Amino acid sequence: MIKVLMVCLGNICRSPLAEGILKSKVDGLSVFVDSAGTGGWHIGELPDLRSIGIARQNRIDISDQRCRKFIARDFDDFDHIYVMDRNNLSDVLSVAKSETHRKKVKMILSVESETDTMEVPDPYYGGERGFEEVFILLDRACEQIAKSLDNE
Ligand code: 4NP
């Protein structure tokens, strides 16, 4: 079983979407997908309703997810850790204890060769349009991740 963790700041907007999208693409593979946030403000909460909405429009249900905080043990429990932006990257790497841990961490959009955008923008303070943009970026990246997991 390959274990993949999606990480953003709040674990209510971007990483729950990334978790749901990747799960929808690895059906039938031995892959476990989870998500977490580097900040602890929303622990136990559902994903943001705008994330639930854009997922639902794309026939993905993320309403069973609950927010949790990223913890150092995730480095041992997961094989791949995908972060959304540079702040997530430095926050996650700041608790890595070894090169093995550090090697597990990637910016999620770095898996895509045909994009200039390196960061998945934080849609929390914006409108619905931001969530549509995030969905498109994550859908493309997760397509690549699913392919690479299929080859592992
Ligand atoms: P996310 O968005 O990192 O994509 O889940 C955010 C959600 C909540 C907050 C920040 C970012 N917040 O400050 O509460």
Side-chain angles (χ1 to χ4, degrees):
M1 162 101 61
I2 307 168
K3 297 178 81 178
V4 179
L5 183 66
M6 303 295 192
V7 177
C8 64
L9 177 59
N11 189 215
I12 56 168
C13 297
R14 292 167 292 178
S15 59
L17 271 178
E19 176 186 335
I21 294 168
L22 185 60
K23 277 179 175 164
S24 76
K25 293 180 190 292
V26 295
D27 211 21
L29 297 181
S30 182
V31 176
F32 173 77
V33 190
D34 192 14
S35 66
T38 58
W41 312 285
H42 300 281
I43 293 170
E45 292 178 17
L46 270 74
D48 188 287
L49 292 179
R50 295 164 295 178
S51 282
I52 292 178
I54 190 70
R56 192 166 284 153
Q57 280 176 41
N58 289 276
R59 294 171 304 281
I60 295 170
D61 182 13
I62 61 166
S63 64
D64 60 333
Q65 295 184 30
R66 294 298 178 269
C67 174
R68 76 162 176 94
K69 198 164 190 281
F70 177 80
I71 52 171
R73 216 189 69 195
D74 287 323
F75 277 116
D76 299 314
D77 289 347
F78 288 87
D79 304 295
H80 302 287
I81 298 172
Y82 291 104
V83 300
M84 305 294 135
D85 62 30
R86 290 188 184 85
N87 285 332
N88 307 152
L89 184 67
S90 62
D91 288 343
V92 165
L93 289 179
S94 72
V95 285
K97 291 193 186 70
S98 67
E99 192 53 26
T100 311
H101 285 177
R102 277 186 283 276
K103 276 194 187 144
K104 294 183 178 188
V105 189
K106 285 197 186 80
M107 296 267 277
I108 193 164
L109 297 187
S110 72
V111 303
E112 256 229 86
S113 46
E114 285 167 36
T115 181
D116 299 331
T117 326
M118 279 307 287
E119 301 193 292
V120 182
D122 187 344
Y124 186 59
Y125 293 105
E128 307 277 340
R129 184 72 195 87
F131 284 77
E132 288 167 22
E133 185 190 337
V134 164
F135 188 94
I136 292 165
L137 290 172
L138 290 176
D139 190 57
R140 283 206 297 248
C142 287
E143 192 68 34
Q144 295 305 317
I145 293 169
K147 276 186 197 154
S148 65
L149 290 170
D150 198 18
N151 291 330
E152 257 184 50

